[in-house]
């Protein structure tokens, strides 16, 4: 996939995953970064189960990236949990 395709898929997946995980989103840049990392993680996880990873701008790739982004966001919130004052 081209860099532009990774950014588009990452933005969509990161935005959707952040809305599912914490309801507010993390901000545009962090949503893109977590979405792209999520696409990589999702591709790795899907490859481990015998399926293909993200292949382009299509619904399957967005689904793979979304699953990976949810995993990345859950880990992100466990590590960088904000403490209530």
């Amino acid at each position: 996939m081209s860099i532009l395709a990774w950014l588009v898929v990452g933005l969509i997946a990161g935005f959707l995953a952040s809305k599912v995980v914490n309801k507010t989103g993390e901000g545009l840049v962090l949503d893109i970064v977590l979405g792209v990392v999520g696409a990589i993680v999702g591709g790795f996880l899907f490859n481990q189960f015998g399926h293909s990873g993200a292949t382009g701008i299509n619904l399957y790739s967005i689904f793979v990236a979304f699953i990976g982004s949810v995993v990345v966001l859950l880990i992100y919130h466990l590590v960088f949990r904000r403490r209530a004052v």
Side-chain angles (χ1 to χ4, degrees):
M1 283 191 345
S2 70
I3 291 175
L4 181 60
W6 278 104
L7 290 176
V8 170
V9 170
L11 173 63
I12 294 168
F15 175 77
L16 292 174
S18 65
K19 292 295 183 183
V20 168
V21 172
N22 69 350
K23 310 286 189 269
T24 60
E26 300 294 333
L28 181 66
V29 175
L30 193 54
D31 281 348
I32 292 174
V33 170
L34 291 174
V36 170
V37 172
I40 294 167
V41 170
F44 174 77
L45 291 174
F46 273 62
N47 282 330
Q48 295 301 311
F49 291 111
H51 298 284
S52 63
T55 58
I57 301 177
N58 54 41
L59 288 177
Y60 179 75
S61 295
I62 292 171
F63 176 72
V64 169
F66 171 76
I67 297 298
S69 296
V70 168
V71 171
V72 169
L73 274 168
L74 290 174
I75 293 170
Y76 174 81
H77 285 289
L78 286 174
V79 173
F80 295 106
R81 183 178 302 176
R82 293 183 185 182
R83 296 181 180 184
V85 176

